[in-house]
């Protein structure tokens, strides 16, 4: 039987582990944190993900039906429809891990991958909790992937990565709903305020996740810009109790995603929407696709076909759209006029449609 080590218990790793374990593979998930663990994230998922991945209502903090888009330097506010839910990543990732384990995967948490070597056809993985051996490695260990660093894969360049800062602010449900509505997400654009990126207020039940994310090469002064953003939204979180602060990176471009029985999924591969920073659903999809392709090529004994098939399935699912978005990202965030044009198009169209056809029809 082929043995698989999945490194990372985020949505990418857990979905891949669940699929492979269900299909008879021997699967171990290595996770450096103790689960459930906090992960800095807006935690917003689209409606289709709730259905497709059977996300139970018990872990949903709040449903949303619209996005309020602010162009702060042009003084414009636009509302667009958009349905989904907001949740804590600690709840989502823990739930998906349990599901993978209920289907036969084994979790080894508080286990940090330290080194990887290859012995004929097997990988030897040394960790903070001993050594493991496997035939395939799924690199689901996020944007700073240790697996890919150890295997000397291409790093993300400063224009392929965004720095985010998150403050979790506790506020009563009543105040949240008076100031931010019952079912809305709030997104703030402005070239001077954020450069290539945006700020957000994503309300949970009794906490507002306040976030700011900016592509590394377009940051002027992180603290100053974040403070300016906080002043701008001050009234919305006034009186709130500061709970937690975190900084984290998000990739905004893809990088190589397969080599020699090592498969990159989710953030490790850069599968994130470069316009919105949305990555949870692409992580989950890529995890499942990696599992499906692995099963198929093992069943047919055609391991050499992995890359071609993985790329094809990813492209059909989302990769073509992410690449098109990356192609127009610099132009959209290039001026306040363009940001506003994007917001107006986004009001009535999906961002994929804008990237694939509408943006270049000037
Ligand atoms: C501030 C912020 C806000 C965001 N908001 C949203 C949002 O609202 N909606 C959305 O769709 N996307 C959002 N994203 C993007 C989203 O969080 C990511 O795309 C998603 O988490 C990717 O999932 P993943 O499984 O690939 O990786 P991750 O969720 O990063 O999981 C990787 C796992 O690997 C583990 N790990 C790392 N190194 C090792 C190691 N050496 N050994 C063992 N384990 C290791 C980590 O502990 C972690 O559990 C946001 C990102 C940030 C930073």
């Amino acid at each position: 039987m082929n043995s698989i080590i999945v490194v990372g218990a985020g949505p990418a790793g857990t979905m891949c582990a669940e699929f492979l374990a269900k299909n008879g593979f021997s699967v171990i998930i290595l996770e450096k944190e103790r689960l459930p663990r906090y992960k800095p994230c807006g935690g917003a998922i689209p409606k289709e993900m709730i259905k497709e991945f059977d996300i139970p209502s018990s872990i949903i903090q709040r449903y949303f039906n619209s996005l309020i888009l602010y162009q702060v330097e042009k003084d414009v506010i636009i509302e667009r429809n958009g349905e989904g839910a907001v949740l804590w990543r600690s709840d989502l990732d823990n739930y998906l891990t349990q599901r993978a384990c209920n289907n036969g995967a084994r979790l080894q948490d508080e286990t940090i991958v330290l080194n990887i070597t290859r012995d004929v056809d097997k990988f030897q993985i040394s960790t903070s909790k001993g050594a493991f051996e496997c035939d395939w490695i799924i690199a689901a260990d996020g944007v700073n992937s240790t697996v890919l660093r150890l295997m000397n894969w291409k790093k993300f360049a400063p224009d392929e990565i965004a720095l985010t800062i998150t403050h979790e602010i506790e506020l009563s449900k009543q105040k949240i709903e008076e100031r931010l509505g019952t079912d809305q997400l709030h997104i703030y654009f402005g070239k001077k305020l954020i450069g290539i990126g945006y700020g957000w207020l994503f309300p949970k039940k009794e906490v507002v996740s306040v976030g700011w994310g900016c592509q590394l090469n377009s940051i002027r002064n992180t603290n100053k810009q974040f403070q300016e953003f906080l002043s701008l939204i001050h009234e919305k979180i006034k009186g709130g109790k500061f709970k937690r602060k975190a900084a984290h990176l998000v990739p905004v471009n893809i990088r190589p995603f397969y080599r020699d029985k090592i498969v990159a999924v989710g953030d490790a591969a850069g599968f994130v929407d470069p316009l919105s920073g949305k990555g949870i659903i692409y992580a989950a999809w890529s995890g499942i696709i990696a599992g499906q392709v692995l099963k198929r090529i093992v069943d047919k004994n055609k391991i050499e076909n992995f890359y071609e098939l993985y790329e094809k399935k990813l492209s059909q699912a989302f990769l073509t759209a992410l690449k098109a978005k990356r192609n127009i990202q610099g132009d959209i965030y290039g001026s306040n006029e363009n940001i506003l044009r994007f917001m107006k198009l986004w009001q009535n169209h999906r961002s994929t449609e804008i990237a694939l056809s509408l943006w270049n029809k000037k």
Side-chain angles (χ1 to χ4, degrees):
M1 193 204 299
N2 272 282
S3 57
I4 318 289
I5 297 252
V6 174
V7 184
T14 53
M15 290 311 301
C16 187
E18 182 185 8
F19 180 88
L20 289 171
K22 253 188 199 166
N23 284 281
F25 288 80
S26 150
V27 183
I28 300 177
I29 305 171
L30 303 180
E31 165 57 50
K32 75 172 175 186
E33 306 284 343
R34 180 182 187 164
L35 296 182
R37 55 97 181 88
Y38 173 78
K39 156 87 174 75
C41 186
I45 55 171
K47 188 175 149 194
E48 63 260 33
M49 178 163 179
I50 305 172
K51 259 203 193 144
E52 194 179 330
F53 294 91
D54 264 335
I55 307 300
S57 57
S58 57
I59 63 165
I60 286 173
Q61 288 278 314
R62 192 178 280 277
Y63 291 92
F64 62 86
N65 289 304
S66 69
L67 313 182
I68 311 296
L69 313 174
Y70 303 79
Q71 193 350 321
V72 298
E73 285 148 27
K74 291 270 184 191
D75 218 5
V76 175
I77 302 177
I78 287 176
E79 181 164 3
R80 95 178 279 275
N81 294 333
E83 290 175 65
V86 180
L87 32 69
W88 288 112
R89 286 293 303 281
S90 46
D91 291 337
L92 175 70
D93 297 8
N94 196 43
Y95 165 75
L96 295 176
T97 305
Q98 295 293 330
R99 229 167 65 175
C101 293
N102 291 342
N103 281 287
R106 194 179 111 209
L107 170 69
Q108 179 83 34
D109 63 354
E110 294 182 279
T111 304
I112 306 173
V113 168
L114 300 172
N115 199 21
I116 302 174
T117 54
R118 201 166 199 165
D119 175 13
V120 198
D121 236 12
K122 295 270 184 197
F123 291 103
Q124 314 292 335
I125 303 184
S126 48
T127 76
S128 53
K129 293 237 176 112
F132 295 81
E133 191 181 76
C134 62
D135 299 300
W136 288 76
I137 300 180
I138 308 293
D141 48 349
V143 60
N144 294 319
S145 174
T146 305
V147 172
L148 302 189
R149 180 174 49 77
L150 290 170
M151 303 319 280
N152 294 317
W153 282 21
K154 180 188 166 290
K155 289 186 187 139
F156 292 112
D159 67 344
E160 296 179 315
I161 210 155
L163 173 67
T164 67
I165 300 178
T166 304
H167 282 193
E168 307 288 7
I169 308 290
E170 197 174 272
L171 203 59
S172 71
K173 182 168 179 283
Q174 188 194 344
K175 285 208 169 106
I176 289 182
E177 295 181 355
E178 275 167 18
R179 296 173 190 178
L180 296 165
T182 53
D183 61 350
Q184 296 172 335
L185 302 186
H186 298 254
I187 295 177
Y188 297 81
F189 297 99
K191 190 159 170 55
K192 199 163 146 252
L193 185 72
I194 307 187
I196 302 180
Y198 64 88
W200 65 89
L201 300 179
F202 286 3
K204 293 175 167 120
K205 265 184 197 151
E206 297 205 312
V207 169
V208 180
S209 294
V210 178
W212 175 95
C214 188
Q215 196 166 287
L216 273 189
N217 65 329
S218 75
I219 297 178
R220 283 179 289 116
N221 179 326
T222 310
N223 281 336
K224 188 163 173 280
Q225 283 177 281
F226 184 67
Q227 288 309 323
E228 281 166 10
F229 175 56
L230 285 183
S231 316
L232 184 88
I233 51 102
H234 173 71
E235 286 299 314
K236 303 246 198 279
I237 54 164
K238 201 165 72 183
K241 188 170 159 210
F242 175 83
K243 293 273 291 176
R244 186 195 271 270
K245 158 170 148 181
H248 205 279
L249 298 171
V250 193
V252 287
N253 199 13
I254 57 166
R255 68 170 163 182
F257 41 77
Y258 176 72
R259 201 171 74 202
D260 261 350
K261 295 189 169 182
I262 300 176
V263 187
V265 289
D267 277 16
F271 297 152
V272 174
D273 182 325
L275 299 178
S276 69
K278 172 167 114 180
I280 301 172
I281 193 166
Y282 303 118
W285 272 338
S286 62
I288 294 219
I289 292 170
Q292 289 169 337
V293 172
L294 186 42
K295 175 174 163 22
R296 188 150 146 199
I297 57 113
V298 166
D299 284 351
K300 297 197 164 173
N301 203 11
K302 289 244 179 232
I303 285 168
E304 65 280 8
N305 289 352
F306 187 93
Y307 177 78
E308 196 189 334
L309 201 55
Y310 186 41
E311 188 187 33
K312 185 174 158 201
K313 297 283 173 200
L314 290 171
S315 299
Q316 285 165 348
F318 62 82
L319 208 54
T320 305
L322 294 191
K323 285 179 183 168
K325 288 179 187 183
R326 175 67 183 175
N327 285 342
I328 62 168
Q329 183 225 31
D331 200 22
I332 288 178
Y333 284 102
S335 68
N336 276 328
E337 288 67 32
N338 283 0
I339 293 173
L340 192 54
R341 179 173 168 242
F342 172 73
M343 283 167 55
K344 287 181 177 163
L345 283 170
W346 200 25
Q347 189 172 21
N348 298 309
H349 302 274
R350 295 181 71 96
S351 57
T352 297
E353 189 190 351
I354 299 173
L356 290 173
S357 67
L358 300 176
W359 186 257
N360 290 322
K361 279 188 198 156
K362 287 189 186 169

